[in-house]
Coordinates of all heavy atoms in Angstrom, one line a residue:
S60 N -28.9 309.0 51.7 CA -29.5 310.2 51.1 C -29.6 310.1 49.6 O -29.8 311.1 48.9 CB -28.7 311.4 51.5 OG -28.8 311.6 52.9
Q61 N -29.3 309.0 49.0 CA -29.4 308.9 47.5 C -30.7 308.1 47.2 O -30.9 307.0 47.5 CB -28.2 308.1 46.9 CG -26.9 308.8 47.1 CD -26.4 308.8 48.5 OE1 -26.3 307.7 49.2 NE2 -25.9 309.9 49.0
H62 N -31.6 308.8 46.5 CA -32.9 308.3 46.2 C -33.3 308.4 44.7 O -33.9 309.4 44.3 CB -34.0 309.0 47.1 CG -33.7 309.1 48.5 ND1 -33.8 308.0 49.3 CD2 -33.3 310.1 49.3 CE1 -33.5 308.3 50.6 NE2 -33.2 309.6 50.6
P63 N -32.8 307.4 44.0 CA -33.2 307.5 42.5 C -34.7 307.5 42.3 O -35.4 306.8 43.1 CB -32.6 306.1 42.0 CG -31.4 305.9 43.0 CD -31.9 306.3 44.3
R64 N -35.1 308.2 41.3 CA -36.6 308.4 41.1 C -37.0 307.6 39.8 O -38.2 307.6 39.6 CB -36.9 309.9 40.9 CG -36.5 310.8 42.1 CD -37.2 310.4 43.4 NE -36.8 311.2 44.5 CZ -37.5 312.3 44.9 NH1 -38.6 312.7 44.2 NH2 -37.1 313.0 45.9
S65 N -36.1 307.1 39.0 CA -36.5 306.4 37.8 C -37.2 305.1 38.2 O -36.8 304.5 39.2 CB -35.3 306.2 36.9 OG -34.3 305.5 37.6
E66 N -38.2 304.7 37.4 CA -38.9 303.4 37.6 C -39.0 302.7 36.3 O -39.6 303.2 35.3 CB -40.3 303.7 38.2 CG -40.3 304.3 39.6 CD -41.7 304.4 40.1 OE1 -42.6 304.0 39.4 OE2 -41.8 305.0 41.2
P67 N -38.4 301.5 36.2 CA -37.5 300.9 37.2 C -36.2 301.7 37.3 O -35.8 302.5 36.4 CB -37.2 299.5 36.6 CG -37.3 299.7 35.1 CD -38.4 300.7 34.9
E68 N -35.5 301.6 38.4 CA -34.3 302.4 38.7 C -33.3 302.1 37.7 O -32.9 301.0 37.4 CB -33.8 302.0 40.1 CG -32.6 302.8 40.5 CD -32.0 302.4 41.9 OE1 -32.8 302.1 42.8 OE2 -30.8 302.5 42.0
H69 N -32.8 303.2 37.1 CA -31.8 303.1 36.0 C -30.4 303.0 36.7 O -30.1 303.8 37.6 CB -31.8 304.3 35.1 CG -31.0 304.1 33.9 ND1 -29.6 304.4 33.8 CD2 -31.2 303.5 32.6 CE1 -29.1 304.1 32.7 NE2 -30.1 303.6 31.9
H70 N -29.5 302.2 36.2 CA -28.2 302.0 36.8 C -27.4 303.3 37.0 O -26.8 303.5 38.0 CB -27.4 301.0 36.0 CG -26.0 300.9 36.4 ND1 -25.6 300.0 37.4 CD2 -24.8 301.5 36.0 CE1 -24.3 300.1 37.6 NE2 -23.8 301.0 36.7
D71 N -27.5 304.2 36.0 CA -26.6 305.4 36.0 C -27.2 306.6 36.8 O -26.5 307.6 37.0 CB -26.4 305.8 34.6 CG -25.6 304.8 33.8 OD1 -24.5 304.4 34.3 OD2 -26.1 304.3 32.8
E72 N -28.4 306.4 37.3 CA -28.9 307.6 38.1 C -28.2 307.8 39.4 O -28.1 308.9 39.9 CB -30.4 307.4 38.4 CG -31.1 308.6 38.9 CD -32.6 308.5 39.1 OE1 -33.2 307.4 38.8 OE2 -33.2 309.5 39.6
L73 N -27.7 306.7 40.0 CA -26.9 306.9 41.2 C -25.7 307.8 41.0 O -25.3 308.6 41.8 CB -26.5 305.5 41.8 CG -25.8 305.5 43.1 CD1 -26.7 306.1 44.2 CD2 -25.3 304.1 43.5
L74 N -25.0 307.6 39.9 CA -23.8 308.4 39.5 C -24.3 309.9 39.5 O -23.6 310.7 40.0 CB -23.3 308.0 38.1 CG -22.5 309.0 37.4 CD1 -21.2 309.4 38.1 CD2 -22.1 308.6 36.0
F75 N -25.4 310.2 38.8 CA -25.9 311.5 38.6 C -26.1 312.2 40.0 O -25.8 313.3 40.2 CB -27.1 311.5 37.8 CG -27.6 312.9 37.3 CD1 -27.0 313.4 36.2 CD2 -28.6 313.5 38.0 CE1 -27.5 314.7 35.8 CE2 -29.0 314.8 37.6 CZ -28.4 315.4 36.5
I76 N -26.8 311.4 40.9 CA -27.1 312.0 42.2 C -25.8 312.2 43.0 O -25.7 313.3 43.6 CB -28.0 311.0 42.9 CG1 -29.4 310.9 42.3 CG2 -28.2 311.4 44.4 CD1 -30.3 309.9 42.8
I77 N -24.9 311.2 43.1 CA -23.7 311.4 43.9 C -22.9 312.5 43.4 O -22.3 313.3 44.1 CB -23.0 310.0 44.0 CG1 -23.7 309.1 44.8 CG2 -21.5 310.2 44.5 CD1 -23.1 307.7 44.9
Q78 N -22.8 312.6 42.1 CA -22.0 313.7 41.5 C -22.5 315.1 42.0 O -21.7 315.9 42.4 CB -22.1 313.7 39.9 CG -21.6 315.0 39.2 CD -20.2 314.9 38.8 OE1 -19.6 313.8 38.7 NE2 -19.5 316.0 38.6
H79 N -23.8 315.3 42.0 CA -24.3 316.6 42.4 C -24.3 316.7 44.0 O -24.1 317.8 44.5 CB -25.7 316.8 41.8 CG -25.7 317.0 40.4 ND1 -25.6 315.9 39.5 CD2 -25.7 318.1 39.6 CE1 -25.6 316.4 38.2 NE2 -25.6 317.8 38.3
Q80 N -24.5 315.7 44.7 CA -24.4 315.7 46.1 C -23.0 316.1 46.6 O -22.8 316.9 47.5 CB -24.9 314.4 46.8 CG -26.4 314.2 46.7 CD -26.8 312.9 47.4 OE1 -26.1 312.0 47.6 NE2 -28.1 312.9 47.8
S81 N -22.0 315.4 46.0 CA -20.6 315.7 46.4 C -20.3 317.1 46.0 O -19.5 317.8 46.8 CB -19.7 314.7 45.7 OG -19.8 314.7 44.3
T82 N -20.8 317.6 44.9 CA -20.5 319.0 44.5 C -21.1 320.0 45.6 O -20.5 320.9 46.0 CB -21.2 319.4 43.2 OG1 -20.5 318.6 42.2 CG2 -21.1 320.8 42.9
E83 N -22.3 319.6 46.1 CA -22.9 320.5 47.1 C -22.1 320.5 48.4 O -22.0 321.5 49.1 CB -24.3 320.0 47.4 CG -25.3 320.3 46.3 CD -25.5 321.8 46.0 OE1 -25.4 322.6 47.0 OE2 -25.8 322.2 44.9
L84 N -21.5 319.3 48.8 CA -20.6 319.2 50.0 C -19.4 320.1 49.8 O -19.0 320.9 50.7 CB -20.2 317.8 50.2 CG -21.3 316.9 50.8 CD1 -20.8 315.4 50.8 CD2 -21.7 317.3 52.2
W85 N -18.8 320.1 48.6 CA -17.6 320.9 48.4 C -18.0 322.4 48.4 O -17.3 323.3 48.9 CB -16.9 320.6 47.1 CG -16.1 319.3 47.1 CD1 -16.3 318.2 46.4 CD2 -15.0 319.1 48.0 NE1 -15.3 317.3 46.7 CE2 -14.5 317.8 47.7 CE3 -14.3 319.8 49.0 CZ2 -13.4 317.2 48.3 CZ3 -13.2 319.2 49.6 CH2 -12.8 318.0 49.3
L86 N -19.2 322.7 47.8 CA -19.7 324.1 47.8 C -19.9 324.6 49.2 O -19.6 325.8 49.6 CB -20.9 324.3 47.0 CG -20.8 324.1 45.5 CD1 -22.2 324.2 44.8 CD2 -19.9 325.2 44.9
K87 N -20.3 323.7 50.1 CA -20.5 324.1 51.5 C -19.2 324.5 52.1 O -19.1 325.5 52.9 CB -21.1 322.9 52.3 CG -21.4 323.3 53.8 CD -22.1 322.1 54.5 CE -22.4 322.5 55.9 NZ -23.2 321.5 56.6
L88 N -18.1 323.8 51.8 CA -16.8 324.2 52.3 C -16.3 325.4 51.6 O -15.6 326.3 52.3 CB -15.8 323.0 52.1 CG -14.4 323.2 52.6 CD1 -14.5 323.5 54.1 CD2 -13.5 322.0 52.4
V89 N -16.5 325.6 50.4 CA -16.1 326.9 49.7 C -16.8 328.1 50.4 O -16.1 329.1 50.6 CB -16.5 326.8 48.2 CG1 -16.4 328.2 47.6 CG2 -15.6 325.8 47.4
I90 N -18.1 328.0 50.7 CA -18.8 329.1 51.4 C -18.1 329.3 52.7 O -17.9 330.5 53.1 CB -20.3 328.7 51.5 CG1 -20.9 328.7 50.1 CG2 -21.0 329.7 52.4 CD1 -22.3 328.0 50.1
H91 N -17.8 328.3 53.4 CA -17.2 328.4 54.8 C -15.9 329.1 54.7 O -15.6 330.0 55.5 CB -17.0 326.9 55.3 CG -16.3 326.9 56.6 ND1 -16.9 327.3 57.8 CD2 -15.1 326.4 57.0 CE1 -16.0 327.1 58.8 NE2 -14.9 326.5 58.3
E92 N -15.1 328.8 53.7 CA -13.8 329.4 53.5 C -13.9 330.9 53.0 O -13.1 331.7 53.5 CB -12.9 328.6 52.5 CG -12.6 327.2 52.9 CD -11.8 327.0 54.2 OE1 -11.1 328.0 54.6 OE2 -11.9 326.0 54.8
L93 N -14.8 331.1 52.1 CA -15.0 332.5 51.6 C -15.5 333.4 52.7 O -15.2 334.6 52.8 CB -15.9 332.5 50.4 CG -15.3 331.9 49.1 CD1 -16.4 332.0 48.0 CD2 -14.0 332.7 48.7
D94 N -16.4 332.9 53.5 CA -16.9 333.7 54.7 C -15.8 334.1 55.6 O -15.7 335.3 56.0 CB -17.9 332.8 55.5 CG -19.3 332.7 54.8 OD1 -19.5 333.5 53.9 OD2 -20.1 331.9 55.3
D95 N -14.9 333.2 55.9 CA -13.8 333.5 56.8 C -12.8 334.4 56.1 O -12.2 335.3 56.7 CB -13.1 332.2 57.3 CG -12.3 332.5 58.6 OD1 -12.9 333.2 59.5 OD2 -11.2 332.0 58.7
A96 N -12.5 334.2 54.8 CA -11.6 335.0 54.1 C -12.0 336.5 54.1 O -11.2 337.4 54.3 CB -11.5 334.5 52.6
R97 N -13.3 336.7 54.0 CA -13.8 338.1 54.0 C -13.7 338.7 55.4 O -13.3 339.9 55.5 CB -15.3 338.1 53.5 CG -15.4 338.0 52.0 CD -16.8 338.1 51.6 NE -17.6 336.9 51.9 CZ -18.9 336.7 51.7 NH1 -19.6 337.7 51.2 NH2 -19.5 335.6 52.0
A98 N -13.9 337.9 56.4 CA -13.8 338.4 57.8 C -12.3 338.7 58.1 O -12.0 339.7 58.7 CB -14.3 337.4 58.8
L99 N -11.4 337.9 57.6 CA -10.0 338.2 57.8 C -9.5 339.4 57.0 O -8.7 340.2 57.5 CB -9.2 336.9 57.3 CG -9.3 335.7 58.2 CD1 -8.8 334.4 57.6 CD2 -8.6 335.9 59.6
L100 N -10.0 339.6 55.8 CA -9.7 340.8 55.1 C -10.2 342.0 55.8 O -9.4 343.1 55.9 CB -10.3 340.7 53.6 CG -9.6 339.8 52.7 CD1 -10.4 339.7 51.4 CD2 -8.2 340.2 52.4
A101 N -11.4 342.0 56.3 CA -11.9 343.1 57.1 C -11.1 343.4 58.3 O -11.1 344.6 58.8 CB -13.4 342.8 57.4
A102 N -10.4 342.4 58.8 CA -9.6 342.5 60.0 C -8.1 342.8 59.7 O -7.3 342.7 60.5 CB -9.7 341.3 60.9
D103 N -7.9 343.1 58.4 CA -6.5 343.4 57.9 C -5.6 342.2 58.1 O -4.3 342.4 58.2 CB -5.9 344.6 58.6 CG -6.7 345.9 58.2 OD1 -6.8 346.1 57.0 OD2 -7.1 346.7 59.1
Q104 N -6.1 341.0 58.1 CA -5.2 339.8 58.1 C -5.1 339.2 56.7 O -5.7 338.1 56.5 CB -5.8 338.8 59.1 CG -5.9 339.3 60.6 CD -6.4 338.3 61.6 OE1 -6.0 337.1 61.5 NE2 -7.3 338.7 62.4
L105 N -4.4 339.8 55.9 CA -4.3 339.4 54.5 C -3.7 338.0 54.3 O -4.2 337.2 53.5 CB -3.5 340.5 53.7 CG -3.3 340.2 52.2 CD1 -4.7 340.1 51.5 CD2 -2.5 341.3 51.6
G106 N -2.6 337.8 55.1 CA -2.0 336.5 54.9 C -2.9 335.3 55.2 O -2.9 334.3 54.5
A107 N -3.6 335.4 56.3 CA -4.6 334.3 56.7 C -5.7 334.2 55.7 O -6.1 333.1 55.3 CB -5.1 334.6 58.1
A108 N -6.1 335.4 55.1 CA -7.2 335.3 54.1 C -6.7 334.6 52.9 O -7.5 333.9 52.2 CB -7.6 336.8 53.8
L109 N -5.4 334.8 52.5 CA -4.9 334.2 51.3 C -4.8 332.7 51.5 O -4.9 331.9 50.5 CB -3.5 334.7 51.0 CG -3.5 336.2 50.5 CD1 -2.1 336.6 50.1 CD2 -4.4 336.4 49.3
K110 N -4.6 332.2 52.7 CA -4.6 330.8 53.0 C -6.0 330.2 52.8 O -6.1 329.1 52.2 CB -4.2 330.6 54.5 CG -4.2 329.1 55.0 CD -3.2 328.3 54.2 CE -2.9 326.9 54.8 NZ -4.0 326.1 55.2
R111 N -7.0 330.9 53.1 CA -8.4 330.4 52.9 C -8.6 330.4 51.4 O -9.2 329.4 50.9 CB -9.4 331.4 53.5 CG -9.3 331.6 55.0 CD -9.5 330.3 55.8 NE -9.5 330.6 57.2 CZ -8.4 330.4 58.0 NH1 -7.2 330.0 57.4 NH2 -8.4 330.7 59.3
I112 N -8.2 331.4 50.6 CA -8.4 331.4 49.2 C -7.6 330.3 48.5 O -8.1 329.7 47.6 CB -8.0 332.8 48.6 CG1 -8.9 333.9 49.1 CG2 -7.9 332.8 47.1 CD1 -8.5 335.3 48.8
A113 N -6.4 330.0 49.0 CA -5.6 328.9 48.5 C -6.4 327.6 48.6 O -6.4 326.7 47.7 CB -4.3 328.8 49.2
R114 N -7.1 327.4 49.7 CA -7.8 326.2 49.9 C -9.0 326.1 48.9 O -9.3 325.1 48.4 CB -8.3 326.1 51.4 CG -9.1 324.8 51.6 CD -9.5 324.7 53.1 NE -8.2 324.5 53.9 CZ -8.2 324.7 55.2 NH1 -9.2 325.1 55.9 NH2 -7.0 324.4 55.9
V115 N -9.7 327.2 48.7 CA -10.8 327.3 47.8 C -10.3 326.9 46.4 O -10.9 326.2 45.6 CB -11.4 328.7 47.7 CG1 -12.4 328.8 46.6 CG2 -12.1 329.0 49.1

Side-chain angles (χ1 to χ4, degrees):
S60 296
Q61 293 74 48
H62 306 291
R64 302 300 179 94
S65 53
E66 294 183 6
E68 180 181 327
H69 191 274
H70 174 82
D71 296 303
E72 190 176 358
L73 185 62
L74 159 65
F75 191 84
I76 292 171
I77 289 176
Q78 168 90 20
H79 290 83
Q80 286 182 338
S81 59
T82 294
E83 290 294 331
L84 285 172
W85 284 121
L86 289 176
K87 182 173 184 177
L88 185 55
V89 169
I90 293 165
H91 178 67
E92 300 297 338
L93 291 178
D94 282 349
D95 201 43
R97 284 181 287 174
L99 290 165
L100 288 173
D103 291 312
Q104 298 183 47
L105 181 57
L109 293 182
K110 178 62 164 52
R111 303 293 185 267
I112 292 172
R114 181 172 293 162
V115 171

